Amino acid sequence: MQKLIQCYLGLDLKKQRYVVGTLFTVSVTLGWSLAFALNWLWMASFPHDIRDVPRKAVAAPSSPLKRGPASVGGVRDKELTESVARVFAGSVDPAKIEEVKSLELAFWKVVGRWADRLLDPQLAIEVKRECQLNFQSSQCYNSREKVLLQIRDNLKGAQATLFECELGDAYFRSGSKVLSCANSAIGPEKEYPREVVVILERACSDGDASSCFALGHRYFQQFKDQMARSYFNKGCKQGDTKNCFALAELYRWQGMTEKSLPLLRKLCQTRDKWRGWSCFSLASAEMDVNKNAVMAKESLRMSCNNFEPAGCYQLASMMTNEGRGNELEIHRVLTQGCFRQKGLYGFNPLPCWNLLELRKVHFDGAGVGQVVQFMLKSGSYHPPDTEDLADAKGNRSLAPLVSLMKQDMRMKRLYSCGRAYYALISFGTGAEAHMESYNWCRGQIEVELENQYEFRDMGIFRRYYLYQ
């Protein structure tokens, strides 16, 4: 080796470069030859026809209600010929399953259950493509809405109720404070299928007060008051005002008004959208149990100040019965009840009718047109027609009042219908023709009051419809 090095160093620079290049070429050639030899030996020793192992298909869980599979004919695309449910089941890349939001997983799980109702498999591929990159994008949202529309078009009755329940519950499970099965399921609670009841019971136990109310209302409509009380109480303990108010109302339905007083007194002090009704109900309970007109008036005043029109009307009625000549204060209360109302169930004409009557009798009709126009613009009435004009005996100024009264009667606004008759009386003409309507209103109110413990179709808050 020493002699080779001495020989190499004795060469000139050009010859040294030639020797290095030759050695490098020989080394590379020997290396590649060795690699090809080793590869040939490996291929000869082991079988090389190993097939790709297919990814395990994720089967969509079957829905609790039986549904027949949708037929997909004439589709050439191999992916389209597969079950639509499988397309949705694989909409989330398994490699990114930890990165996606829980709502996305929950949404596809529900849609996968009902995907056999989707008759257009091409749409399944489209929504999968649009949503894989960004579930919250506008393109994904539009595609999802198309999917939901097609599924909904194929569902009726109990199936439609269950689908909406499952979808709402998916949002609740993903952290939604607004959507749940209780406020997504359609139809009366007493007609919910057992599968929906199971979901509601689980959600109620997990802190969804709206589900507790839905269950309580279901059993109330089925005359199972003990079960209803249990669920209303459970929702009330979660701090939900609606459940607390429903529990108080249930005590009143059962004739145990004294048990409702502590609940109603507490609710009347809260700052909640139910405060107006709670104070209104408290006034009635105070009169029923304690005959306490002072406390009743104070509760009605709080109800009116919280923009509950029935509270303003009832307060004005109590003040009128006292007969102290306080028309200005009554006028203020009715004006607030008519023009500043924010009732939970839409426009209430009752204080407006009383205000019309008061302005005609005590204020020479000043501001009557303002009230009539406000009622017509409320969106609850149609403009008067020629028939209403004929009923008003040609008095065009009275025609709108006749029309409003007739519409109140058709909409079964019982107290408003009766109050409207007295308003027409105060105008002096046209009222005689409506005596029959007034008698009908009074008769219906008496029937309602006599059978209030039996009429449950309109729900736990039925009595308040009398004040519309």
Side-chain angles (χ1 to χ4, degrees):
M1 178 63 71
Q2 186 177 3
K3 289 182 178 182
L4 288 173
I5 294 174
Q6 290 176 351
C7 179
Y8 173 76
L9 293 175
L11 298 175
D12 58 18
L13 182 62
K14 184 175 181 181
K15 291 181 178 180
Q16 287 179 356
R17 289 176 177 174
Y18 174 77
V19 171
V20 171
T22 302
L23 291 174
F24 178 79
T25 302
V26 171
S27 299
V28 171
T29 303
L30 290 173
W32 278 108
S33 300
L34 180 62
F36 279 117
L38 292 174
N39 181 66
W40 181 84
L41 289 173
W42 184 86
M43 295 289 288
S45 302
F46 300 98
H48 58 274
D49 58 342
I50 299 176
R51 300 177 181 178
D52 292 335
V53 178
R55 213 169 66 193
K56 185 177 180 180
V58 182
S62 59
S63 171
L65 294 184
K66 295 181 179 179
R67 303 183 302 278
S71 58
V72 181
V75 182
R76 296 182 179 179
D77 192 319
K78 180 180 179 181
E79 189 173 14
L80 294 183
T81 59
E82 297 178 354
S83 168
V84 177
R86 289 185 60 192
V87 174
F88 283 121
S91 294
V92 179
D93 186 351
K96 299 181 179 180
I97 225 159
E98 298 297 331
E99 302 176 12
V100 298
K101 296 181 178 179
S102 59
L103 174 59
E104 183 174 354
L105 296 175
F107 180 86
W108 292 127
K109 182 178 180 181
V110 173
V111 172
R113 287 175 183 265
W114 299 85
D116 58 346
R117 288 291 180 179
L118 182 62
L119 301 183
D120 183 4
Q122 179 61 49
L123 186 56
I125 304 302
E126 175 188 334
V127 71
K128 178 181 177 181
R129 181 177 63 251
E130 296 288 353
C131 295
Q132 270 188 326
L133 297 179
N134 187 355
F135 184 76
Q136 302 293 348
S137 67
S138 58
Q139 293 87 347
C140 175
Y141 174 80
N142 293 333
S143 296
R144 285 189 281 125
E145 287 299 305
K146 292 179 183 177
V147 169
L148 295 179
L149 179 62
Q150 285 206 4
I151 293 177
R152 285 166 174 154
D153 284 345
N154 288 276
L155 299 177
K156 304 295 181 183
Q159 291 183 342
T161 300
L162 181 58
F163 171 71
E164 298 298 341
C165 172
E166 288 183 353
L167 192 61
D169 189 62
Y171 279 84
F172 172 70
R173 295 284 151 204
S174 302
S176 171
K177 302 297 183 183
V178 179
L179 288 178
S180 68
C181 171
N183 44 41
S184 300
I186 55 179
E189 292 97 340
K190 68 176 181 179
E191 297 178 5
Y192 284 171
R194 181 59 191 167
E195 294 82 6
V196 171
V197 175
V198 170
I199 295 176
L200 289 172
E201 288 172 343
R202 183 187 62 193
C204 176
S205 299
D206 289 345
D208 181 36
S210 60
S211 294
C212 298
F213 178 83
L215 289 167
H217 211 221
R218 167 186 170 85
Y219 291 117
F220 169 79
Q221 291 179 316
Q222 294 178 344
F223 294 86
K224 299 176 181 178
D225 289 353
Q226 186 173 354
M227 293 288 291
R229 186 165 62 246
S230 172
Y231 282 105
F232 287 149
N233 187 48
K234 196 169 186 177
C236 183
K237 287 182 178 179
Q238 295 174 8
D240 182 66
T241 341
K242 185 178 182 180
N243 275 282
C244 295
F245 184 50
L247 181 59
E249 284 300 291
L250 182 58
Y251 283 132
R252 297 188 65 197
W253 274 84
Q254 295 175 317
M256 298 184 289
T257 306
E258 66 282 354
K259 285 191 174 183
S260 71
L261 279 173
L263 279 169
L264 292 172
R265 285 169 181 165
K266 184 176 180 179
L267 291 171
C268 189
Q269 299 299 323
T270 60
R271 298 193 177 277
D272 188 90
K273 67 178 183 178
W274 293 92
R275 187 180 186 184
W277 269 17
S278 299
C279 294
F280 180 82
S281 185
L282 175 60
S284 178
E286 290 283 7
M287 290 297 293
D288 291 343
V289 176
N290 302 320
K291 309 299 180 185
N292 192 335
V294 176
M295 288 296 295
K297 280 183 62 177
E298 185 60 28
S299 299
L300 289 172
R301 195 176 300 278
M302 293 179 71
S303 175
C304 183
N305 289 338
N306 280 273
F307 311 109
E308 175 51 52
C312 297
Y313 168 76
Q314 197 63 34
L315 176 60
S317 298
M318 287 189 70
M319 295 168 68
T320 300
N321 293 335
E322 291 175 352
R324 297 177 182 175
N326 50 353
E327 286 80 14
L328 286 175
E329 178 62 15
I330 295 173
H331 183 271
R332 186 195 68 78
V333 170
L334 290 173
T335 299
Q336 178 173 326
C338 177
F339 293 111
R340 298 183 61 196
Q341 58 177 288
K342 297 178 183 178
L344 293 178
Y345 287 92
F347 178 74
N348 186 337
L350 197 51
C352 297
W353 279 119
N354 207 350
L355 181 60
L356 280 170
E357 182 183 343
L358 183 71
R359 286 186 173 182
K360 179 64 175 68
V361 174
H362 295 283
F363 298 94
D364 298 324
V368 164
Q370 177 194 20
V371 180
V372 173
Q373 288 303 312
F374 178 77
M375 294 175 73
L376 287 173
K377 291 178 180 178
S378 67
S380 301
Y381 297 99
H382 299 294
D385 54 24
T386 53
E387 181 182 352
D388 300 324
L389 184 63
D391 287 347
K393 297 182 178 179
N395 185 343
R396 292 183 180 272
S397 63
L398 195 61
L401 299 182
V402 173
S403 177
L404 295 174
M405 179 188 178
K406 290 169 62 178
Q407 291 182 59
D408 272 359
M409 187 178 66
R410 286 197 296 269
M411 290 185 284
K412 296 185 178 180
R413 288 172 166 165
L414 303 184
Y415 273 35
S416 297
C417 177
R419 191 76 251 177
Y421 175 79
Y422 285 108
L424 287 173
I425 288 289
S426 69
F427 281 84
T429 57
E432 296 82 359
H434 300 287
M435 176 62 76
E436 182 178 350
S437 300
Y438 170 73
N439 289 335
W440 179 86
C441 291
R442 292 292 301 175
Q444 288 298 309
I445 292 172
E446 291 174 0
V447 170
E448 290 277 349
L449 294 176
E450 289 176 1
N451 299 278
Q452 60 179 330
Y453 296 107
E454 302 299 325
F455 292 165
R456 301 194 177 206
D457 290 343
M458 291 179 68
I460 187 72
F461 304 128
R462 180 185 178 89
R463 69 176 73 240
Y464 295 94
Y465 289 92
L466 295 177
Y467 288 92
Q468 292 292 324

